[in-house]
Amino acid sequence: MESTPPDDRIIALWRVESPRLIARLMRLVGDLDTAEELSQDVFAAAIEKWRREGVPDNPAAWLNTTAKFLAVDRIRRRDTQRGKYQLVAAAQPQTLEHDLDEIVDGDLADDLLGLIFMACHPLLSPDARSALTLKLVCGLSTEDVARAFLTPAPTIAQRVVRAKRTLAAAKVRFELPPPSERKARLDAVREVVYLVFNEGYSATSGDRWIRGDLCAEALRLGRMLAALTPNDTETLGLLALIEIQASRLRARVGPDGEPVLLNDQDRSRWDRLLIQRGLANLERIERLGGTAGPYALQAAIAACHARAAVAADTDWEQIAALYDGLARISPSPVVELNRGVATAMAFGPEAGLEIVRPLFDVPGMREYHLLYAVTGDLLCRSGAHEEAREHFLRAAAMTRNTPERTTMQGRAADCAAGHTIQL
Amino acid sequence: MVMHYQTQAMEDGVPPTPEEQAAIGEYMQEAAMSGVLLSGEGVASSRLGARVEVNEGAVRVIDGPFAEAKELIAGFAILEVDSLAEAVEHARKFALLVGAERVDVRKVVEFEDLQQS
């Protein structure tokens, strides 16, 4: 007696089985469009059969067999048609049965990694990569992806269709990139994972400050990637980083949905399991002798915060030193802004302002609301309250996130009160 | 949390066969590749453990082994999934793969659950 009706179970099964199924089918038929279409056919067949006869004990096995059957059928028809086009009298299937067995039994890890590489292909825009990855690798529906990104479903559907068309037009075949290219391609994959995470961690628009569903998907992707490339220290660094950051999610929102900054957070609400996992991954990086890359360094910074039981215990000098390292290997205005904050915490607001002030001359930074928020904070702490207030008001006018705007307006109103900003 | 139960052989201290070990390894690998596995442990025969019983304030410590092997947890995995249905599908795969007779799926209580009550 099954407690869950077939349709709910099939949604759950889609989530669990479809990434593997699509990856396998990609290896068989070669292109993303056909693989996805076939996997949908498999589930459609499952719904029809299982509604009538009930769900079998081992649905995964049934789905796999059906997928293989449909794929072989498709390949035969395609080969036959190709034969016709070539005006070959006796259409000879070009793919032999025993080849197929070999292909079907290939390494699942390679299949999944190949699927991830394809979804994060450099030919695609970051938006398209995220949508395709969530859909294919996480098994989310178009509607789920749309909800996650606060984007209308038809827009996401369009984005996915166009992405697949781009890949098909460029004749991108399903294969693992050669080892020489793999490192660069992994960078692109990690970027997608971090992008999805950040969109969840501090939503750039909308009326919610964090989107936990997106963070959860990013964590799932990060774990998957770390399982597929177990010795890659930057992937472990990325995973450690998002685990430690995610550990603060529930402490990061106040009772009315307003953002709670790091120093004001109730640290007893941090997720200890996630912190432990993050710290363990940092240890693994050390054991692997990984040179500290940008993600590992950011994870080490996050770990400094995680280790402090109360905000006053934070080792800001260590954090400032880690930011110095990060600014050397991966310089960017945003890293510089963070370095300014850490330096101010370690050595006083004046030291921080020295780093932050030049950023107003960097193209693009004048449009970045957090530059004004941070500068306002440092000014406030150094006693320049009126100048601080102006900066907070600028920041409030610039952000598209409603709770953040309210916070900035509040800071402007009481910038003499002496709260501190932490990114 | 997905928990499976001790068989008499496990309880008797018979080490898992290479096939059983491989099956468990395969499952852990699969769960890791799905990105849902947070942690997992197996536990040894109860002869290496003890039970603490409290009866009206009186504490009694009983050394293992315990009588009912089938009631003992043999191991657990903590998975992060979207729904009970998804957890059940993972548990089903695990049960079929390792040949477990019984696997329980339970929700880990989180901070939010405590606040609601």
Side-chain angles (χ1 to χ4, degrees):
Chain A
M1 191 51 215
E2 290 294 341
S3 53
T4 323
D7 291 11
D8 283 356
R9 282 202 53 202
I10 287 164
I11 292 169
L13 273 163
W14 173 265
R15 176 93 161 139
V16 175
E17 302 296 343
S18 71
R20 290 179 179 75
L21 219 52
I22 294 172
R24 282 269 136 99
L25 287 164
M26 286 253 292
R27 187 197 274 268
L28 278 172
V29 298
D31 78 290
L32 206 47
D33 233 353
T34 317
E36 214 198 343
E37 192 186 308
L38 280 172
S39 72
Q40 278 160 0
D41 289 350
V42 173
F43 276 87
I47 290 180
E48 197 186 324
K49 187 177 166 67
W50 295 350
R51 266 192 198 146
R52 249 186 359 252
E53 300 171 18
V55 183
D57 283 339
N58 191 345
W62 190 92
L63 292 168
N64 268 319
T65 313
T66 309
K68 187 180 157 186
F69 175 79
L70 288 182
V72 170
D73 189 53
R74 176 70 65 103
I75 292 166
R76 285 231 182 81
R77 265 190 295 146
R78 189 178 62 192
D79 287 352
T80 310
Q81 219 153 30
R82 216 177 269 157
K84 273 181 197 151
Y85 290 145
Q86 291 164 357
L87 298 173
V88 177
Q92 182 80 25
Q94 288 168 0
T95 317
L96 297 169
E97 197 72 13
H98 67 265
D99 291 340
L100 284 175
D101 281 337
E102 216 165 85
I103 294 171
V104 171
D105 295 334
D107 189 339
L108 178 62
D110 281 355
D111 284 356
L112 276 173
L113 200 53
L115 183 65
I116 295 175
F117 276 129
M118 196 153 191
C120 298
H121 200 279
L123 274 174
L124 307 174
S125 71
D127 276 354
R129 286 182 212 169
S130 310
L132 207 54
T133 304
L134 287 177
K135 199 156 182 290
L136 296 179
V137 184
C138 296
L140 294 193
S141 68
T142 301
E143 288 71 26
D144 289 337
V145 179
R147 249 195 309 280
F149 284 121
L150 305 171
T151 306
T155 311
I156 295 291
Q158 263 298 315
R159 204 173 280 172
V160 169
V161 167
R162 243 182 274 132
K164 285 193 282 193
R165 217 176 276 154
T166 305
L167 293 176
K171 297 207 168 28
V172 173
R173 294 286 299 176
F174 173 65
E175 56 196 359
L176 283 180
S180 57
E181 278 173 39
R182 220 174 276 184
K183 206 198 149 308
R185 292 285 294 278
L186 263 175
D187 279 341
V189 174
R190 283 190 289 259
E191 218 177 282
V192 169
V193 176
Y194 200 43
L195 193 104
V196 171
F197 181 80
N198 271 326
E199 189 51 38
Y201 196 63
S202 45
T204 49
S205 60
D207 53 8
R208 270 169 58 196
W209 161 242
I210 57 170
R211 307 193 51 82
D213 43 358
L214 272 179
C215 291
E217 292 310 328
L219 282 169
R220 185 186 283 228
L221 277 169
R223 288 183 195 124
M224 199 186 239
L225 197 59
L228 293 171
T229 59
N231 297 321
D232 188 293
T233 51
E234 265 300 84
T235 300
L236 288 173
L238 167 68
L239 181 56
L241 174 63
I242 62 179
E243 280 172 336
I244 297 175
Q245 287 190 322
S247 75
R248 304 181 199 135
L249 274 172
R250 63 187 169 213
R252 210 162 179 259
V253 188
D256 301 317
E258 77 279 12
V260 181
L261 303 172
L262 185 57
N263 284 337
D264 304 327
Q265 286 171 9
D266 173 0
R267 296 182 177 215
S268 68
R269 298 186 68 191
W270 287 359
D271 187 325
R272 306 313 305 178
L273 178 63
L274 277 172
I275 291 177
Q276 277 166 26
R277 288 180 54 87
L279 296 179
N281 278 325
L282 277 171
E283 274 168 34
R284 264 173 77 194
I285 295 172
E286 268 177 42
R287 272 205 306 280
L288 288 166
T291 47
Y295 286 118
L297 269 177
Q298 291 177 77
I301 292 167
C304 284
H305 291 298
R307 287 195 190 98
V310 290
D313 288 351
T314 310
D315 187 349
W316 284 107
E317 289 190 24
Q318 168 76 9
I319 293 175
L322 286 165
Y323 268 119
D324 289 345
L326 187 61
R328 268 194 302 277
I329 58 166
S330 170
S332 84
V334 174
V335 168
E336 203 61 8
L337 183 60
N338 282 295
R339 193 169 78 88
V341 173
T343 306
M345 293 303 286
F347 307 109
E350 304 295 344
L353 280 168
E354 246 173 72
I355 296 171
V356 170
R357 278 226 163 91
L359 289 172
F360 283 93
D361 300 327
V362 176
M365 284 303 276
R366 278 175 175 277
E367 282 75 56
Y368 188 50
H369 67 283
L370 284 178
L371 176 58
Y372 293 88
V374 167
T375 310
D377 186 56
L378 297 183
L379 285 167
C380 182
R381 283 165 54 201
S382 65
H385 293 140
E386 189 45 40
E387 207 187 334
R389 204 178 73 90
E390 283 165 24
H391 279 82
F392 281 126
L393 288 176
R394 284 289 292 276
M398 287 166 90
T399 179
R400 287 187 290 141
N401 183 288
T402 317
E404 203 173 30
R405 180 175 313 125
T406 312
T407 301
M408 290 304 148
Q409 284 164 344
R411 289 299 313 274
D414 64 3
C415 70
H419 293 287
T420 51
I421 285 251
Q422 176 57 48
L423 298 180
Chain B
M1 183 184 292
V2 173
M3 294 171 288
H4 65 289
Y5 286 80
Q6 201 88 301
T7 60
Q8 193 59 53
M10 290 166 164
E11 180 58 13
D12 292 342
V14 181
T17 64
E19 291 75 30
E20 285 164 345
Q21 285 183 31
I24 295 217
E26 192 185 326
Y27 173 78
M28 296 305 255
Q29 176 67 16
E30 266 217 18
M33 285 196 301
S34 300
V36 299
L37 180 69
L38 293 190
S39 70
E41 302 287 347
V43 296
S45 160
S46 73
R47 68 186 63 231
L48 299 176
R51 176 175 284 165
V52 178
E53 272 184 0
V54 182
N55 192 359
E56 291 180 7
V59 180
R60 198 158 69 108
V61 178
I62 310 151
D63 287 333
F66 310 136
E68 226 354 291
K70 277 185 182 242
E71 297 299 317
L72 297 174
I73 303 247
F76 71 90
I78 296 184
L79 308 177
E80 191 167 80
V81 292
D82 265 4
S83 62
L84 176 64
E86 197 183 332
V88 168
E89 290 313 326
H90 283 286
R92 175 195 305 271
K93 289 182 99 148
F94 176 72
L96 289 173
L97 201 61
V98 304
E101 284 173 20
R102 187 174 129 201
V103 176
D104 283 356
V105 180
R106 302 283 297 276
K107 185 181 188 311
V108 174
V109 175
E110 292 182 77
F111 193 86
E112 279 66 24
D113 305 326
L114 292 174
Q115 279 192 317
Q116 278 160 16
S117 58

